[in-house]
Amino acid sequence: MCTLSGDGADMSAIPLLRLLVAGVSTMTLVPLVSLVFVYNTKPDIIIKAIRKAVIWRAGLTVKFVTVDGYRFAYGERGRPSETQPSILFLHGFSTSKDTWARFITALPKNLHIITLDLPGHGESDRNPSQDLSMEGQANTVHRFVCAVGLDRKPLHLVGTSMGGGIAGLYAATYRKSIALLTLFCPLGVVPPVHSRMMAAFLEGRNMLVPKTIDDFREMTEINSYRYKIGKLKLPDQLLYCALADRTPHNDFFQKLSDELGRKEKWDVLQRSMGNISAPTHVIWGREDDVLDVSGADILREGVPNCRLDILDDCGHVAVNERTRQAVAVFMNFREGVLNGYKK
């Protein structure tokens, strides 16, 4: 039987007791009993089910492609178009392709969209000898791009956090293959102001590899401004399930974190940003506690042809915290660039 640590409590009997008192029918009770059983024995299954549900709701079909023995997993919606560049989405550290599901759901249905599980994440393979640097991951993404035919014409590359850093390096390296570039609070620049996460990192604390429910709450706080100020309520039961889902992968996340946290790599995107030639859009949450918003001006000044949008009352996960506003500025940028091309 599972009992949450800290101020959490054993919840297995309470819902059942309330249902029995309310006189719920046996037909309704059976699936609920099953849900309680899963929560007590395999809580990570609940998170996996949520992921599948949001992928389905976004209209994405999960597919796989193998390149030189390495299997990539990705979600795809729509078909390539002659007039609209395909969009490739790259997620952040320790998440997966479903990160983008809410954002994709709000996009026009005529767009061709692919959201990729980056190396070692989601359903993509995890290779112990793989180069996990952002430069190495950018090269791995290029192998995927070629394998699924996205290299046939320039694409719209989009990344958030770690995925934003990878996207920026990709655009700086494979310049002719990018029509547009959108970066949500990307890793790889050194903001003049230290974020809460960076301050903890400099003190020897890694807030991105939680081991307890309290660690997970803290990680959620630095990612979501709405959770931090109490406007987003997430029950401990859900946090517990999410922690159970990621804990078996902590060794990999720690290894990746160690690679990304090497001091000589902190400014890897900043050093390459002048090589980006595609029209670029940077979007950042003003209240970001993971990567401070002061990094946005570095990109605006250093990337040629760069537009910057700062989202108010928004933390690090802008694509989920301020989805409507993020989609609006995203589409405004995309349509403006494409209409400019047509002229």
Side-chain angles (χ1 to χ4, degrees):
M1 183 170 293
C2 291
T3 302
L4 298 180
S5 60
D7 58 358
D10 182 27
M11 303 296 293
S12 58
I14 296 173
L16 290 177
L17 181 60
R18 287 176 178 165
L19 289 171
L20 288 169
V21 170
V24 178
S25 70
T26 303
M27 291 299 292
T28 304
L29 190 58
V30 168
L32 289 169
V33 171
S34 300
L35 182 60
V36 171
F37 176 77
V38 169
Y39 173 77
N40 279 293
T41 57
K42 291 284 187 180
D44 56 303
I45 291 178
I46 295 174
I47 298 300
K48 290 179 174 64
I50 292 172
R51 287 202 184 104
K52 290 182 182 299
V54 298
I55 286 284
W56 173 81
R57 186 171 181 271
L60 294 160
T61 300
V62 176
K63 300 180 179 181
F64 301 89
V65 63
T66 300
V67 183
D68 298 328
Y70 181 86
R71 189 183 80 159
F72 293 95
Y74 62 102
E76 184 172 22
R77 189 181 83 183
R79 299 173 63 85
S81 163
E82 290 299 319
T83 59
Q84 293 278 345
S86 298
I87 309 174
L88 174 60
F89 289 96
L90 306 180
H91 61 78
F93 175 85
S94 77
T95 60
S96 56
K97 57 186 175 293
D98 57 281
T99 292
W100 295 100
R102 180 181 174 93
F103 189 87
I104 290 169
T105 300
L107 291 176
K109 297 299 185 286
N110 65 317
L111 301 179
H112 177 229
I113 289 167
I114 288 181
T115 173
L116 174 66
D117 275 337
L118 287 168
H121 292 78
E123 298 174 282
S124 286
D125 281 350
R126 185 172 296 169
N127 185 339
S129 62
Q130 195 157 34
D131 183 355
L132 294 177
S133 69
M134 288 203 294
E135 305 98 315
Q137 292 195 65
N139 292 328
T140 301
V141 169
H142 184 63
R143 292 164 57 203
F144 169 79
V145 165
C146 296
V148 298
L150 283 177
D151 60 331
R152 292 171 189 159
K153 58 182 296 187
L155 58 88
H156 185 174
L157 184 59
V158 185
T160 184
S161 196
M162 179 188 75
I166 295 168
L169 289 171
Y170 188 104
T173 305
Y174 304 100
R175 300 170 68 181
K176 292 183 179 180
S177 66
I178 304 299
L180 308 92
L181 176 67
T182 300
L183 307 176
F184 286 87
C185 50
L187 183 64
V189 300
V190 180
V193 178
H194 285 162
S195 67
R196 179 178 167 188
M197 184 203 73
M198 179 55 72
F201 180 80
L202 292 173
E203 294 173 355
R205 260 191 337 122
N206 188 342
M207 299 177 74
L208 297 182
V209 187
K211 295 179 173 62
T212 68
I213 194 72
D214 288 333
D215 292 343
F216 200 91
R217 288 193 198 100
E218 189 175 37
M219 186 187 73
T220 307
E221 278 186 7
I222 65 171
N223 276 280
S224 171
Y225 177 67
R226 294 181 65 228
Y227 181 80
K228 176 183 174 182
I229 65 174
K231 287 189 175 180
L232 174 64
K233 304 293 185 182
L234 295 177
D236 276 353
Q237 296 96 313
L238 182 61
L239 296 182
Y240 169 77
C241 292
L243 178 64
D245 176 64
R246 62 179 289 141
T247 296
H249 311 289
N250 271 354
D251 287 346
F252 170 76
F253 293 148
Q254 186 63 58
K255 180 180 178 181
L256 176 57
S257 177
D258 290 344
E259 171 59 38
L260 300 177
R262 291 165 55 195
K263 191 170 184 178
E264 66 270 22
K265 296 290 188 177
W266 289 359
D267 65 344
V268 63
L269 174 57
Q270 193 170 334
R271 285 184 271 116
S272 301
M273 61 186 176
N275 294 326
I276 297 173
S277 58
T280 300
H281 187 199
V282 174
I283 305 172
W284 218 299
R286 192 176 299 280
E287 310 297 336
D288 195 332
D289 277 339
V290 176
L291 300 170
D292 191 81
V293 68
S294 59
D297 285 330
I298 294 173
L299 291 169
R300 179 175 59 180
E301 296 168 6
V303 177
N305 193 11
C306 180
R307 166 178 165 175
L308 172 63
D309 280 294
I310 305 294
L311 304 184
D312 291 328
D313 300 321
C314 181
H316 190 61
V317 289
V319 297
N320 290 306
E321 195 162 28
R322 285 286 179 262
T323 306
R324 186 180 302 174
Q325 295 93 324
V327 167
V329 296
F330 175 87
M331 288 304 301
N332 180 267
F333 164 75
R334 178 181 169 94
E335 291 171 355
V337 171
L338 296 181
N339 288 337
Y341 282 167
K342 291 174 184 177
K343 293 177 183 177

